[in-house]
């Protein structure tokens, strides 16, 4: 049992981990099952180098301010693994005096711990629902040495999630686009486009559960992103010591030799182009010189319940990440005449046995996406993106090649924001230090106020929504607000529901992709925003998508879903958007609201008081059961205006007369 961690994973759940806060050592791992370090016990504090930030992610900064919290986080793959590790952590704290068994190192009044699940499947909400129940039961024991419930959790999750598919609504459990639209309204589309442009986007709010919920909900608007688009989203290296850097420099010359050997074996000619012809790749892995440790780190490890895919190199220089996709040759599409199975197996075998630094995108064949069967989604591994793609090329390869997705970022990971190997990120933070350093991000999303702060004026112009975009956003907002009182079970099939909103964004993105493929499409693309489309075409995800053929897009309408002639309602939409999204407009709007409210309240109060005074005066005479209306208007209005000299004259007169007439009618 002690060496269980050295065995291949039985299912999608890799480890159950307990992280606690020690008054001297800080956050540390107190329990792991199977052990995180092969050969060590489940109570070992040891951590793999790749997961050195695990304790700080599982036990978030400022957690002591909340009784309980939930965290979603991503870890980089370990040696032998190839994809992102998805973490879900449930935090709780309990008073030390309530414990039945109090250990000697508990010196504070409260005990803070988190129970984590490390999984190979991005089932955030489903894992959270199960983990919250177990965490509650674990704390109710009031004896943290009782770990049997945690071992049972590991076995239960692997048995229940072993055959789980990523194509159902359970992937989106707990992620509500409906709430997102209600909160951000028209700004949801700006967030969508920000990520399409692969900008550095920082989400900010506390506690963590609101942070990760909003961030992951935005990502769920991208077709297939949660299911298949995050497998390469956490490819970063923790900070290394000086000694480790020296070892890395010694290995570098050998890696340079590996590049030339790999190019020879794969049949890459001068200039990086792949030569035509049939090449037998089997058995050539022994010709590539790299160390035994590198073999382990890059070898494939498969399990019965998960599928590993071809991994595209993720650590390259910033220059190559921006330019290498421009050299893709479309003629490669017609070069390969090999049988599909032979070619795919050979390419996978060769790629698995090369160090990740040695593989080059130019050596990978470009696939043609097949037509979808009617009513069925066809997913194939994209050899350029490294992701499972559908017939439209979804998900887009946004979170690849150093563009990170970190739903929660610990303060210890702050250096990643300025790391030269990180070309961008979508990250969440609760520490104010992240928000204060604005130069490290392109946009800061303050979730509490639904405010999207974009620092660069040029970027603001690029993201300025077109009239068609405003119609699209207004269409979403109206359907969500009109149906907000309805009871939804899962939102499927209901206008204004979660699935409906995702379908609208999917249709929007498909229309954009279809539009860029059309000749003479300047007018069509203007509805999406010409500056935005120009900027998007320079991104990595567009170049990867454009390197493939997607015949299914021929059946998609290649125009904006809300194109059309201008009308008066468009002017109102533009004015409303300008007022809501500019600082001056917000100030004017707030003044108008407060002034209107004060006028109504003051007018009613003053008018009522004056009327009651005038009822007893000699100028009001009762004739035949009715009041005589021989009241001098000049006298009445002068009294009202004199009492409300700070208010607009016409408003006060109108409000007073209306109130006066109402009092007369009641009498």
């Amino acid at each position: 049992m002690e060496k269980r961690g050295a065995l291949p994973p039985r299912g999608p759940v890799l480890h159950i981990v307990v992280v606690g806060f020690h008054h001297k050592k800080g956050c540390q791992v107190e329990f792991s099952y199977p052990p995180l370090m092969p050969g060590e016990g489940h109570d070992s504090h040891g951590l793999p180098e790749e997961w050195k930030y695990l304790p700080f992610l599982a036990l978030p900064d400022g957690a002591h301010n909340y009784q309980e919290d939930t965290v979603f986080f991503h870890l980089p793959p370990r040696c032998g693994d190839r994809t992102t590790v998805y973490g879900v952590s449930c935090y709780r704290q309990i008073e030390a005096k309530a414990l039945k068994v109090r250990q000697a190192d508990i010196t504070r009044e409260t005990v803070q711990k988190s129970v984590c699940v490390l999984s190979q499947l991005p089932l955030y909400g489903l894992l959270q629902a199960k983990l919250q129940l177990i965490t509650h039961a674990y704390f109710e024991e009031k004896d943290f040495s009782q770990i049997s419930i945690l071992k049972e959790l590991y076995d239960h999750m692997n048995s229940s999630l072993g055959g789980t598919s990523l194509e159902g609504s359970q992937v989106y459990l707990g992620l509500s686009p409906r709430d997102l639209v209600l909160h951000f309204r028209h700004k949801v589309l700006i967030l969508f486009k920000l990520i399409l442009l692969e900008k550095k986007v920082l989400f900010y709010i506390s506690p963590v559960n609101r942070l990760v919920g909003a961030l992951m909900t935005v990502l769920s608007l991208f077709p297939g992103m949660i299911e298949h688009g995050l497998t390469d989203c956490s490819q970063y290296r923790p900070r290394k010591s000086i000694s480790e850097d020296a070892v890395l420099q010694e290995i570098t010359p050998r890696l340079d030799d590996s590049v030339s050997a790999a190019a020879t074996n794969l049949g890459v000619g001068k200039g990086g182009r792949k030569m035509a012809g049939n090449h037998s790749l089997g058995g050539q892995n022994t010709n590539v010189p790299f160390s035994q440790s590198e073999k382990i780190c890059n070898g494939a490890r498969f399990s019965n319940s998960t599928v590993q895919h071809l991994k595209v190199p993720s650590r390259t220089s910033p220059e190559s990440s921006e330019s290498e996709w421009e050299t893709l040759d479309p003629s490669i599409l017609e070069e390969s005449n090999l049988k599909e199975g032979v070619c795919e197996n050979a390419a996978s075998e060769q790629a698995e046995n090369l160090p990740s630094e040695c593989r080059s995108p130019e050596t990978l064949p470009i696939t043609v996406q097949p037509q979808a069967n009617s009513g069925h989604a066809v997913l194939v591994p994209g050899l350029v993106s490294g992701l499972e793609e559908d017939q439209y090329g979804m998900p887009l390869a946004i979170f690849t090649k150093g563009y990170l997705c970190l739903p929660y970022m610990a303060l210890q990971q702050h250096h990643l924001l300025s790391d030269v190997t990180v070309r961008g990120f979508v990250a969440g933070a609760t520490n104010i230090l992240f928000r204060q350093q604005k130069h490290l991000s392109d946009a800061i999303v303050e979730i509490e106020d639904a405010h999207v702060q974009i620092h660069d004026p040029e970027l603001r112009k690029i993201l300025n929504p077109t009239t068609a975009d405003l119609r699209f956003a207004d269409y979403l907002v109206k359907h969500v607000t009109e149906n907000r009182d309805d009871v939804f079970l899962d939102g499927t099939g209901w206008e204004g529901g979660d699935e409906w909103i995702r379908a609208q964004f999917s249709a929007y993105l498909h229309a954009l992709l279809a539009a860029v493929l059309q000749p003479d499409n300047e007018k069509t693309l203007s509805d999406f925003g010409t500056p935005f489309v120009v900027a998007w075409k320079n991104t990595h995800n567009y170049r990867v998508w454009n390197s493939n053929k997607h015949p299914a897009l021929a059946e998609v309408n290649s125009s904006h879903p809300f194109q059309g002639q201008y009308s008066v309602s468009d002017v109102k939409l533009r004015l409303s958007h300008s007022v809501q999204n500019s600082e001056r407009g917000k100030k004017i709007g707030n003044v108008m609201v407060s002034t209107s409210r004060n006028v109504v309240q003051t007018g009613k109060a003053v008018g009522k008081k004056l009327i009651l005074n005038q009822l007893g005066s000699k100028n009001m005479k009762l004739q035949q059961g009715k009041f005589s209306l021989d009241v001098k208007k000049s006298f009445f209005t002068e009294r009202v205006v004199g009492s409300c000299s700070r208010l607009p004259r016409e408003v006060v007169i109108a409000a007073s007369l209306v109130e006066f007439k109402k009092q007369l009618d009641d009498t």
Side-chain angles (χ1 to χ4, degrees):
M1 189 68 67
E2 295 298 325
K3 296 183 179 180
R4 181 97 177 256
L7 299 176
R10 291 172 42 198
V13 175
L14 301 175
H15 301 277
I16 303 294
V17 182
V18 176
V19 175
F21 182 82
H22 192 275
H23 67 285
K24 291 183 178 179
K25 302 176 182 178
C27 299
Q28 65 177 8
V29 172
E30 298 180 346
F31 169 85
S32 59
Y33 181 81
L36 293 175
M37 301 297 291
E40 297 187 6
H42 60 73
D43 56 350
S44 171
H45 301 312
L47 279 170
E49 178 63 25
E50 300 89 346
W51 294 355
K52 63 186 297 184
Y53 301 127
L54 171 59
F56 310 105
L57 294 170
L59 202 59
D61 184 38
H64 60 278
N65 295 320
Y66 303 95
Q67 192 65 27
E68 56 184 343
D69 204 354
T70 302
V71 187
F72 301 159
F73 58 91
H74 293 157
L75 293 174
R78 292 181 59 182
C79 287
D81 296 328
R82 309 180 67 79
T83 61
T84 298
V85 174
Y86 308 95
V88 177
S89 171
C90 286
Y91 159 82
R92 287 178 67 92
Q93 61 176 329
I94 187 175
E95 292 185 356
K97 63 182 180 181
L99 295 176
K100 295 178 181 178
V101 178
R102 181 168 180 170
Q103 300 174 351
D105 58 352
I106 298 179
T107 59
R108 296 195 172 191
E109 295 181 356
T110 58
V111 178
Q112 303 167 4
K113 293 185 186 295
S114 290
V115 181
C116 316
V117 173
L118 304 182
S119 171
Q120 293 176 302
L121 297 179
L123 300 171
Y124 304 97
L126 189 61
L127 294 175
Q128 176 189 357
K130 294 177 178 290
L131 189 57
Q132 282 180 333
L133 296 175
I134 298 301
T135 303
H136 178 76
Y138 181 55
F139 272 74
E140 286 298 313
E141 291 281 346
K142 297 182 173 59
D143 180 5
F144 295 119
S145 63
Q146 301 297 323
I147 58 175
S148 59
I149 189 174
L150 302 177
K151 294 181 179 180
E152 293 174 1
L153 173 64
Y154 174 81
D155 295 331
H156 167 72
M157 282 192 167
N158 276 323
S159 61
S160 61
L161 301 178
T164 301
S165 171
L166 292 178
E167 301 304 325
S169 59
Q170 59 187 353
V171 175
Y172 302 115
L173 184 64
L175 306 179
S176 176
R178 192 164 175 267
D179 293 339
L180 187 75
V181 173
L182 283 173
H183 188 61
F184 281 94
R185 302 179 71 83
H186 298 74
K187 299 174 187 176
V188 171
L189 187 57
I190 296 178
L191 296 177
F192 188 80
K193 285 188 169 184
L194 260 175
I195 297 176
L196 268 179
L197 294 181
E198 298 177 353
K199 296 301 180 181
K200 298 178 179 179
V201 186
L202 181 70
F203 287 73
Y204 177 83
I205 198 175
S206 188
V208 183
N209 59 45
R210 295 183 62 189
L211 172 72
V212 298
L215 189 151
M216 298 308 299
T217 301
V218 174
L219 297 188
S220 73
L221 300 178
F222 291 85
M225 186 63 70
I226 299 292
E227 300 96 315
H228 308 290
L230 302 178
T231 57
D232 198 32
C233 73
S234 61
Q235 296 284 354
Y236 65 85
R237 288 178 178 175
R239 280 187 170 175
K240 294 182 176 295
S241 63
I242 298 177
S243 60
E244 288 173 319
D245 291 338
V247 173
L248 185 61
Q249 292 176 359
E250 293 177 2
I251 296 176
T252 303
R254 286 185 289 168
L255 292 180
D256 295 337
D257 295 337
S258 301
V259 174
S260 60
T264 303
N265 291 334
L266 285 176
V268 178
K270 188 174 181 179
R273 297 279 179 89
K274 184 178 183 297
M275 297 181 186
N278 298 335
H279 299 281
S280 177
L281 301 178
Q284 293 181 359
N285 55 346
T286 56
N287 296 328
V288 181
F290 55 95
S291 64
Q292 182 65 25
S293 61
E294 289 167 336
K295 287 183 180 179
I296 297 174
C297 290
N298 292 281
R301 183 172 74 183
F302 297 91
S303 65
N304 294 332
S305 59
T306 58
V307 180
Q308 304 292 349
H309 310 300
L310 180 62
K311 175 184 170 185
V312 173
S314 59
R315 301 184 188 91
T316 57
S317 65
E319 292 79 7
S320 65
S321 66
E322 292 298 328
S323 62
E324 63 186 1
W325 299 103
E326 296 177 354
T327 62
L328 290 172
D329 186 3
S331 63
I332 297 178
L333 291 170
E334 286 79 22
E335 288 181 359
S336 177
N337 295 320
L338 297 176
K339 292 183 179 179
E340 182 178 355
V342 176
C343 181
E344 200 167 329
N345 293 337
S348 300
E349 181 181 351
Q350 183 67 21
E352 289 169 5
N353 289 283
L354 287 176
S356 59
E357 292 83 358
C358 300
R359 296 178 220 140
S360 174
E362 288 83 1
T363 66
L364 298 175
I366 304 174
T367 60
V368 180
Q369 302 299 326
Q371 287 278 7
N373 296 330
S374 58
H376 300 281
V378 177
L379 297 175
V380 296
L383 294 182
V384 176
S385 67
L387 309 175
E388 284 227 348
E389 302 173 357
D390 64 10
Q391 67 270 24
Y392 303 104
M394 302 290 105
L396 294 175
I398 297 176
F399 296 102
T400 57
K401 290 185 68 66
Y403 191 77
L404 305 181
C405 174
L406 304 173
Y408 172 70
M409 176 180 280
L411 189 59
Q412 288 75 8
Q413 295 175 300
H414 184 271
H415 67 280
L416 293 176
L417 301 185
S418 56
D419 194 327
V420 294
T421 64
V422 175
R423 63 185 181 89
F425 55 81
V426 176
T430 59
N431 195 303
I432 195 172
L433 294 177
F434 287 94
R435 189 180 66 172
Q436 291 175 342
Q437 296 185 329
K438 298 180 180 180
H439 63 284
L440 297 178
S441 62
D442 296 315
I444 296 179
V445 183
E446 298 187 23
I447 299 175
E448 182 68 37
D449 302 325
H451 179 54
V452 182
Q453 183 180 2
I454 301 174
H455 313 315
D456 184 12
E458 289 300 320
L459 181 57
R460 284 199 294 268
K461 292 180 181 178
I462 291 174
L463 293 172
N464 190 37
T466 64
T467 300
D469 281 347
L470 286 177
R471 293 172 185 162
F472 171 68
D474 188 62
Y475 178 72
L476 296 177
V477 173
K478 283 183 177 179
H479 276 74
V480 169
T481 53
E482 289 174 359
N483 298 324
R484 65 185 306 173
D485 295 329
D486 292 347
V487 178
F488 289 87
L489 296 178
D490 58 4
T492 304
W494 294 86
E495 287 193 358
D498 293 337
E499 293 299 326
W500 180 84
I501 294 173
R502 292 191 186 97
Q504 302 308 308
F505 276 94
S506 179
Y508 179 93
L509 187 55
H510 288 167
L512 172 61
L513 295 172
V516 298
L517 296 177
Q518 301 300 317
D520 302 326
N521 56 4
E522 289 81 5
K523 185 176 181 180
T524 302
L525 293 179
S526 65
D527 287 329
F528 295 95
T530 302
F532 164 75
V533 175
V534 171
W536 177 53
K537 286 185 175 181
N538 289 324
T539 62
H540 168 71
N541 72 80
Y542 173 80
R543 290 170 182 164
V544 173
W545 176 84
N546 195 46
S547 67
N548 291 346
K549 291 183 178 179
H550 311 283
L553 284 173
E555 302 176 3
V556 176
N557 186 5
S558 59
S559 60
H560 196 291
F562 287 84
Q563 67 170 353
Q565 299 295 327
Y566 290 100
S567 63
V568 177
S569 60
D570 294 327
V571 178
K572 294 180 180 178
L573 273 178
R574 178 64 63 183
L575 179 61
S576 174
H577 175 77
S578 300
V579 170
Q580 292 177 8
N581 292 277
S582 65
E583 292 299 326
R584 181 178 297 179
K586 289 180 180 178
K587 292 179 180 179
I588 294 175
N590 292 335
V591 170
M592 291 177 62
V593 171
S594 60
T595 302
S596 176
R597 183 171 57 249
N598 292 335
V599 165
V600 173
Q601 294 176 351
T602 305
K604 286 184 177 180
V606 173
K608 183 177 181 180
K609 183 176 181 180
L610 290 177
I611 290 171
L612 293 177
N613 290 337
Q614 294 300 325
L615 286 176
S617 67
K618 59 183 179 180
N619 294 324
M620 304 294 297
K621 297 179 181 180
L622 185 63
Q623 295 180 356
Q624 296 179 357
K626 294 183 178 180
F627 285 109
S628 174
L629 298 180
D630 298 334
V631 181
K632 297 180 180 180
K633 290 185 178 180
S634 60
F635 172 77
F636 181 77
T637 54
E638 287 174 3
R639 290 286 302 275
V640 174
V641 174
S643 302
C644 308
S645 58
R646 295 183 181 180
L647 300 176
R649 182 183 183 90
E650 294 81 4
V651 173
V652 175
I653 293 175
S656 301
L657 290 176
V658 170
E659 189 68 25
F660 178 61
K661 185 177 182 302
K662 182 180 179 181
Q663 290 286 345
L664 291 178
D665 293 339
D666 294 342
T667 306

